[in-house]
Amino acid sequence: MTRYLLARLLQGLMTLLAVSVVVFVLSRLSGDPLTLIMDPMSTKADLARELARLGLDRSYPAQYAIFLGNALHGDFGQSIFFKRSAFEVFLEKLPATLELGGTAMAVSMLIAIPVGVLSAVHKGGWFDRIARLVALTGQSAPVFWIGLVLILLFSVTLGWLPTAGRGSWRNLVLPAITLGWYGNAFLMRITRSAMLDVLGTDYVKLARLEGLPERRVIWKHAFKNAATSIVTTLGLMSISLVTGAVVTETVFAWPGVGRLTVDAIFQRDFPVVQAAVILIAVMVVVVNLAVDVVYAWIDPRVRFQ
Amino acid sequence: MRRTLMTGITLAALAAPPALAQSLTFAINNLGAETWWPQDISQNKYISSNIGDPLIRLAAPYSLEPALATGWSMSDDGLSYSFPLRAGVTFHDGSPLTPDDVMFSFAPAHVEKVVGFSAIKGGNILGIEAQGNTVVMRLKTPVPALMDNYISRASIWPKAYVERVGIEGFNKQPVGAGPFRFVEHVKGQHVKLAAWEHYYGDQPQVKEITFRIIPEAATRIAMLRTGEADITYNEVGASTGELKKYAMRGQPYGQPAQAALIFNSLLNPDRTPGRFDDIRVRQALILAVDRKVIADAVYFGAASPAALPVVGTRMPFYDAKFAPLPYDATRAKKLLADAGYPQGLQFDFVAATSNKDLAVLLVSFWQRAGIKANLTLLDPVSLSRAWWQRTLQGDQVMLVGGLANGMASAVYINSKSQVAMYASPATDALFAQGMAIIDPAKQTAWLHDTLLPAMNELYPIAPVLEYQEGVLGLGPKVKSWDRFDLHSFGLQWLVPK
Amino acid sequence: MKPFAGMPWGSALILLAALAGALFAPWLAPYDPDQVDVLHRFTPPFWLEGGTMEHLLGSDDLGRDILSRLLFGGRVSMLVALVCVASDAVLGTLVGMLAGYLGGWVDAALMRLADVMLALPYLLIALVVVSVLGASLVNVVVIIVALRWAGLARIVRGETLGIKQRDYVALARVGGVGRAGILLRHVLPNVLNSVIVVSTLGVGTVILFESALSFLGVGVPPPTATWGGMVADGRGSIGSAWWVSLFPGLAITAVCLACNLLGDWLREIFDPRSLRA
């Protein structure tokens, strides 16, 4: 077990190293940030001086070596644009993204799990059809369009909720629905097929034969058994909600890491782009490790592979 | 100038007490670096310049007004400027404005680090000293349009305060002598400013202004409709029309700007001969386009056909005889035929994603005139890079944006600057000639008498449309806002209902 | 078992209609989709006041006919989706089968590569890549393919590992069938079910991905119309000229829903266990 997890950890670290190379090379290829931060009237000599000041005049391998050495100490360099630590800038925006992602996940669970369970129970019935249609719609339309339509409906026409920004819980409602509705199709599928599996087992048939009420059979016996695969799915989903929030954050002016990174990309703020992509990859690796641990813990066969 | 300003204050004091009960919300697209120390600022100057006033204000192109200085004078050689300071001005922390603060704000060590400001960098400020209540700045080499480009862009910050709290402290709580004082800044979300009760100039009419950062234009318009925002920033173009649909007013503001076609093959002074060397080809590209229709329909009247580079048609000393080229597809075809392209022309056309609509319309008009343009869209930074760093190979046509505000825009014909739009020994000589003129009155005369005819003769680039930098959407709680400062929003002139 | 039992006929019809519309766009579309007419901008659909039969679904901000753009845009959107999904299917299946069957360092190398692809925040990476290469139809397709193959490769690898242990594969190996032969004749047919299901579900994802790129300004560039680009362009006037973004938005929703429902149905009838979790 320990050996297995150590091997996974090592693989995770290799992944991160590769991610750092990819993002470094890509961001360097996209040109330098000077066109944005320099006075248009500056001369070529000014440009060269500024490049040297930012350390961008060295060769790419040299730049990468410096970058990697610093990154290992948690130093992703100064944001060219914000003139502050890129790591700090990222961390500052992370709570907003986690808040939105967490709420969206709650929204997803609230919709997807009951719908998944009930549509498995009523497989092929009208509930199954309609509920799945509604759940799937969130993953069938452009997220920004859904967001804007929700704004027009609930903010402009009905006046129930604020349009954009972060503040009270009311600001959270529309972006969380937009993002959560997008995420729920995946969760609903897993719930539904896990439930279908469990409902077909002898264990559930036995519970029914014992004359237990149907509701108890479904929620107490069947759902409990389906829950393991649902929980591991939630782990994977949490990542896609963080990385998938870029568009939602833009539409609702939500000050999170997605929007930060998009701006940084367009401004060629390499340190921030590198910090964001690598730290998101760290989250992916950590969550995957956690999922592995849970799997190994549930399923003894994995431990001895 | 000074007297008018003082009359203004007296009148304001005599009238009924200003209605300061209002607080307004302003939805902006971006707050740049989210810092306040001037060295770090590249994009939020419009807001920060309301906190810190400059010595001299640029109210409109070529219209300078006294601000913290009551005026200025320049030595004949253009190397020494003196600024008598206004008496009785206090910063938001209660400390009085002194020459020390001005000297501190323009201290060479500071200026060197400020983004931009290239002409007064590199040791060009030899010294800055106080003579009584007057500040004297001495330069190594003269800087044409020093007031318009530099002095009016630089806010004055309180020396004692900055030294006490440091740059970090200043970034948390900036203090200046402008019409609005800083209240709070929640990063990524909003900035709140409040009217400064002891402002020396025109009294702010709005008690509190909250700037909210809303990146998506459609969301900003929705907020204007719900009343969550009273003012929105809009790029010139489609959202201007959306404003009109909801009976919201669109108020252009900012420097006169142009969208122009520049030619990659003409950016290099020692170039090989190419198709766009021929002025007839460049003119044909403009003649083939009905710019009036585009300006009215797509820009909702917020733009108009442009005539020549450097000097916009609305500048006070523009010469009306250089009217914008008309829409004349027949003449365009004839010019192309004369230039040796009777079968039409085909070229690669590069534009920024932010200029997509205009680029598509140009392509469509050209197509009707037998000109085939293969459009490539780049994100704005990539396009600037292609232009400023000359990374394209070939004779592409680029659609770019630039200012057309007179002397400051002459930089576009200076082949040594990175933003050169056209490079040739002739234009370089012209630029050098203009830059040697220090007296502002003689400069404008030179622009009118020499530069405009030369540009008309040469037609080095093909200006398409002219407009101001942006359009402000005004909601029902705003009575009027028609006076601005070109380097800040000029929030003191915003009048609520 | 009846082969079409429970088949979502509505979804199949929607997809057929969309495909037909795209295929016959040059004959069905009343206008050139890129034809600009600035004097007739924002014409409403024919049933609204101010609408005309000349523009059945209205016109957009540059006066282009929405119906025509919808038909031609569907062409590009679905072509992009199909090309991406098919390329990913080929790439993912190949990588997955090779990794699973060959094992050893090939497996390790390919799967680490897949790990990297899956750890990259794909939308952000796509943005960076487009800012390097510039936005073009081909670039958008290449980026989507490059970022998406890894998920399928993992699934196929898992299934291949299982199939490798089966008796008939061992028998074939003993019988002297080469690696290529075993992969083609025995492994491929058995992983195909999963590939088809994942690909069907992927069509919608690709269309949405392209629209997200358009929203961020780096999608398939004009004048080429795509559904995603049309919704993104129309969002500026979503309050007043809702038809500009509504019709392409509905088209995307209908096609994506149809693919999702069809994919779910295929999954049920093929029942590949590996897709359960």
Side-chain angles (χ1 to χ4, degrees):
Chain A
M1 171 88 174
T2 320
R3 241 188 99 189
Y4 166 73
L5 287 179
L6 271 179
R8 296 293 289 151
L9 188 66
L10 196 68
Q11 288 172 4
L13 290 177
M14 277 164 58
T15 305
L16 290 179
L17 193 68
V19 166
S20 77
V21 176
V22 169
V23 68
F24 181 87
V25 171
L26 283 179
S27 58
R28 288 310 184 279
L29 288 178
S30 66
D32 57 60
L34 293 188
T35 46
L36 264 183
I37 58 175
M38 295 293 285
D39 183 350
M41 285 142 207
S42 35
T43 57
K44 283 160 198 160
D46 292 336
L47 282 176
R49 202 172 50 221
E50 191 66 12
L51 273 180
R53 196 182 68 73
L54 295 169
L56 297 175
D57 58 338
R58 296 173 218 224
S59 72
Y60 286 173
Q63 285 186 44
Y64 179 74
I66 294 169
F67 156 72
L68 191 66
N70 292 336
L72 289 176
H73 296 98
D75 173 11
F76 288 90
Q78 286 263 311
S79 156
I80 293 165
F81 196 63
F82 293 97
K83 314 260 171 153
R84 289 187 292 136
S85 147
F87 186 58
E88 202 182 291
V89 171
F90 181 86
L91 282 192
E92 234 171 59
K93 308 270 177 179
L94 192 59
T97 295
L98 293 182
E99 181 185 320
L100 176 60
T103 318
M105 188 126 113
V107 170
S108 276
M109 287 164 68
L110 240 90
I111 304 172
I113 294 179
V115 167
V117 169
L118 290 176
S119 73
V121 173
H122 306 287
K123 190 185 163 214
W126 62 267
F127 178 85
D128 182 23
R129 283 160 196 252
I130 293 175
R132 276 169 63 210
L133 205 65
V134 173
L136 285 176
T137 305
Q139 208 176 62
S140 300
V143 171
F144 65 89
W145 189 55
I146 292 189
L148 287 173
V149 170
L150 289 179
I151 286 177
L152 282 184
L153 191 62
F154 291 102
S155 307
V156 177
T157 311
L158 296 171
W160 290 351
L161 292 164
T163 306
R166 188 178 176 216
S168 77
W169 64 270
R170 299 174 69 237
N171 290 82
L172 195 52
V173 176
L174 292 182
I177 290 178
T178 308
L179 189 58
W181 198 9
Y182 178 77
N184 71 8
F186 185 48
L187 186 58
M188 187 207 68
R189 279 203 188 104
I190 301 290
T191 310
R192 186 169 178 270
S193 62
M195 278 299 285
L196 283 175
D197 269 1
V198 178
L199 286 173
T201 57
D202 296 342
Y203 171 72
V204 170
K205 284 180 190 152
L206 204 70
R208 282 203 177 117
L209 281 178
E210 276 175 13
L212 292 175
E214 185 66 14
R215 186 178 297 176
R216 209 177 141 84
V217 173
I218 293 167
W219 291 105
K220 183 102 199 229
H221 290 76
F223 181 66
K224 222 168 129 186
N225 276 288
T228 30
S229 54
I230 296 173
V231 169
T232 41
T233 306
L234 288 179
L236 300 173
M237 215 175 100
S238 64
I239 289 302
S240 73
L241 287 181
V242 170
T243 60
V246 175
V247 171
T248 314
E249 285 181 1
T250 304
V251 170
F252 292 99
W254 192 264
V257 293
R259 185 66 218 171
L260 169 78
T261 320
V262 170
D263 284 342
I265 290 170
F266 284 133
Q267 287 154 349
R268 310 293 192 267
D269 193 346
F270 303 148
V272 172
V273 177
Q274 284 158 1
V277 172
I278 291 173
L279 291 171
I280 288 173
V282 168
M283 290 197 265
V284 175
V285 168
V286 168
V287 168
N288 281 338
L289 263 179
V291 169
D292 283 343
V293 172
V294 173
Y295 263 139
W297 182 56
I298 296 171
D299 188 346
R301 278 172 301 175
V302 178
R303 289 180 225 171
F304 303 108
Q305 242 177 30
Chain B
M1 204 62 108
R2 186 175 169 191
R3 268 178 68 190
T4 354
L5 213 94
M6 290 189 53
T7 330
I9 295 170
T10 329
L11 280 177
L14 286 176
L20 275 182
Q22 282 278 9
S23 54
L24 296 182
T25 304
F26 193 156
I28 52 172
N29 60 334
N30 188 326
L31 193 61
E34 300 210 88
T35 57
W36 300 97
W37 183 238
Q39 291 172 9
D40 301 343
I41 292 169
S42 47
Q43 283 184 13
N44 59 346
K45 61 165 183 157
Y46 280 112
I47 299 176
S48 67
S49 305
N50 286 288
I51 302 172
D53 258 14
L55 289 174
I56 303 294
R57 189 192 309 287
L58 185 63
Y62 285 86
S63 162
L64 292 161
E65 291 177 6
L68 293 181
T70 52
W72 76 96
S73 60
M74 181 184 69
S75 63
D76 288 341
D77 57 4
L79 292 177
S80 172
Y81 287 80
S82 46
F83 302 95
L85 293 192
R86 189 179 296 276
V89 173
T90 51
F91 285 107
H92 303 155
D93 66 346
S95 61
L97 170 77
T98 67
D100 271 357
D101 301 310
V102 180
M103 283 151 64
F104 171 76
S105 300
F106 283 104
H110 280 163
V111 170
E112 290 300 322
K113 287 189 200 151
V114 175
V115 171
F117 278 12
S118 43
I120 55 172
K121 271 186 185 170
N124 201 17
I125 298 184
L126 281 181
I128 177 156
E129 62 209 32
Q131 294 174 357
N133 206 30
T134 296
V135 174
V136 178
M137 182 188 280
R138 284 182 301 110
L139 301 179
K140 195 159 77 187
T141 54
V143 178
L146 179 76
M147 293 300 141
D148 311 55
N149 283 338
Y150 298 102
I151 301 297
S152 59
R153 256 163 81 186
S155 300
I156 302 303
W157 307 107
K159 178 185 182 200
Y161 177 77
V162 177
E163 283 178 346
R164 194 170 73 239
V165 299
I167 290 175
E168 210 159 295
F170 186 87
N171 269 330
K172 286 200 183 94
Q173 179 78 38
V175 162
F180 279 79
R181 64 185 167 82
F182 175 93
V183 177
E184 65 168 354
H185 174 196
V186 179
K187 285 201 170 130
Q189 298 184 47
H190 70 260
V191 176
K192 198 178 273 180
L193 305 183
W196 170 231
E197 306 85 43
H198 307 296
Y199 186 55
Y200 65 89
D202 291 342
Q203 287 304 298
Q205 311 269 309
V206 182
K207 194 174 182 185
E208 213 175 58
I209 296 179
T210 306
F211 294 87
R212 292 184 60 188
I213 304 161
I214 312 290
E216 169 58 34
T219 311
R220 290 198 293 275
I221 300 277
M223 290 175 71
L224 198 59
R225 293 177 65 197
T226 61
E228 284 165 281
D230 304 300
I231 306 155
T232 55
Y233 165 81
N234 307 279
E235 284 89 11
V236 181
S239 59
T240 317
E242 191 78 348
L243 287 174
K244 297 215 166 157
K245 293 245 167 62
Y246 302 116
M248 307 282 185
R249 290 152 294 163
Q251 171 70 52
Y253 85 98
Q255 298 265 17
Q258 278 182 349
L261 302 174
I262 63 171
F263 304 89
N264 192 50
S265 56
L266 307 183
L267 295 180
N268 194 347
D270 32 54
R271 53 178 174 253
T272 48
R275 302 186 282 177
F276 296 107
D277 288 2
D278 193 326
I279 183 176
R280 289 172 296 188
V281 177
R282 301 198 293 268
Q283 285 177 334
L285 292 185
I286 293 299
L287 287 165
V289 177
D290 191 342
R291 295 180 290 166
K292 189 90 187 61
V293 162
I294 296 182
D296 287 348
V298 184
Y299 291 80
F300 294 89
S304 57
L308 295 174
V310 182
V311 183
T313 60
R314 283 175 231 176
M315 302 284 283
F317 48 85
Y318 190 79
D319 195 327
K321 75 176 178 218
F322 304 121
L325 290 177
Y327 171 44
D328 190 341
T330 330
R331 204 172 126 206
K333 277 184 193 157
K334 186 174 178 304
L335 282 183
L336 279 182
D338 292 350
Y341 306 99
Q343 303 302 320
L345 193 64
Q346 189 168 351
F347 58 86
D348 289 322
F349 182 40
V350 188
T353 47
S354 49
N355 242 340
K356 186 167 67 174
D357 281 355
L358 180 57
V360 168
L361 286 169
L362 288 174
V363 170
S364 133
F365 272 106
W366 285 333
Q367 198 175 12
R368 286 177 216 179
I371 302 168
K372 182 157 173 26
N374 307 312
L375 174 64
T376 307
L377 287 182
L378 299 176
D379 71 287
V381 174
S382 295
L383 181 71
S384 300
R385 193 170 111 88
W387 164 23
W388 296 8
Q389 301 182 16
R390 321 270 188 271
T391 54
L392 295 181
Q393 307 292 323
D395 65 351
Q396 292 90 344
V397 177
M398 292 186 242
L399 176 63
V400 301
L403 297 182
N405 61 350
M407 211 55 212
S409 302
V411 68
Y412 293 123
I413 56 163
N414 171 21
S415 68
K416 282 184 203 65
S417 95
Q418 54 167 345
V419 291
M421 291 181 166
Y422 182 87
S424 74
T427 43
D428 277 351
L430 201 59
F431 176 76
Q433 186 190 39
M435 281 304 167
I437 306 169
I438 298 150
D439 181 6
K442 284 183 187 149
Q443 266 177 9
T444 46
W446 176 79
L447 285 170
H448 177 270
D449 301 339
T450 309
L451 188 81
L452 277 173
M455 289 295 111
N456 186 53
E457 186 86 0
L458 187 62
Y459 208 68
I461 66 167
V464 183
L465 292 177
E466 64 178 21
Y467 39 76
Q468 280 169 277
E469 281 173 286
V471 174
L472 300 174
L474 305 182
K477 273 158 83 180
V478 177
K479 188 172 169 205
S480 68
W481 192 7
D482 43 23
R483 227 187 124 189
F484 299 95
D485 176 328
L486 284 192
H487 295 313
S488 83
F489 279 121
L491 292 172
Q492 64 268 42
W493 296 301
L494 166 60
V495 185
K497 232 170 221 160
Chain C
M1 185 182 154
K2 281 183 271 173
F4 293 108
M7 175 158 175
W9 287 107
S11 303
L13 273 179
I14 286 174
L15 283 183
L16 273 180
L19 281 174
L23 213 57
F24 301 113
W27 294 276
L28 292 173
Y31 293 90
D32 173 352
D34 306 329
Q35 189 190 316
V36 168
D37 179 3
V38 273
L39 296 178
H40 297 95
R41 313 165 59 235
F42 293 128
T43 313
F46 74 91
W47 63 88
L48 291 183
E49 204 186 319
T52 63
M53 294 305 279
E54 272 152 44
H55 294 289
L56 287 179
L57 298 182
S59 68
D60 71 2
D61 59 332
L62 301 181
R64 295 171 295 198
D65 182 55
I66 290 183
L67 178 61
S68 307
R69 285 180 77 70
L70 208 57
L71 291 165
F72 277 94
R75 240 179 179 197
V76 181
S77 285
M78 282 190 288
L79 189 72
V80 167
L82 291 180
V83 170
C84 289
V85 163
S87 315
D88 278 327
V90 172
L91 200 61
T93 311
L94 201 67
V95 170
M97 286 199 313
L98 286 177
Y101 191 77
L102 297 178
W105 67 267
V106 178
D107 181 27
L110 289 176
M111 283 305 106
R112 291 303 74 75
L113 192 61
D115 281 349
V116 175
M117 300 315 292
L118 291 172
L120 291 172
Y122 58 95
L123 194 53
L124 298 176
I125 291 298
L127 268 187
V128 180
V129 176
V130 173
S131 66
V132 178
L133 301 175
S136 78
L137 187 64
V138 175
N139 290 349
V140 167
V141 169
V142 168
I143 290 159
I144 295 178
V145 171
L147 287 171
R148 278 179 39 88
W149 59 269
L152 181 63
R154 260 204 189 160
I155 292 168
V156 171
R157 172 186 175 264
E159 297 207 333
T160 310
L161 282 178
I163 296 164
K164 210 164 100 175
Q165 313 296 334
R166 302 267 171 82
D167 295 340
Y168 57 82
V169 174
L171 267 176
R173 209 180 296 143
V174 173
V177 182
R179 276 178 186 166
I182 290 177
L183 283 179
L184 277 178
R185 254 178 278 157
H186 299 287
V187 179
L188 186 61
N190 285 299
V191 298
L192 217 51
N193 283 355
S194 305
V195 175
I196 291 173
V197 172
V198 170
S199 300
T200 314
L201 294 173
V203 171
T205 323
V206 172
I207 294 180
L208 293 185
F209 191 65
E210 195 274 321
S211 72
L213 287 180
S214 292
F215 172 76
L216 295 170
V218 294
V220 176
T224 312
T226 66
W227 287 345
M230 290 173 72
V231 185
D233 288 350
R235 74 182 191 272
S237 54
I238 190 169
S240 56
W242 47 264
W243 54 89
V244 180
S245 53
L246 180 75
F247 295 118
L250 286 182
I252 291 179
T253 312
V255 167
C256 292
L257 254 183
C259 287
N260 274 321
L261 290 171
L262 212 61
D264 278 354
W265 172 72
L266 285 172
R267 167 143 87 175
E268 241 155 60
I269 59 166
F270 290 154
D271 194 32
R273 293 196 70 84
S274 61
L275 295 181
R276 287 278 166 82

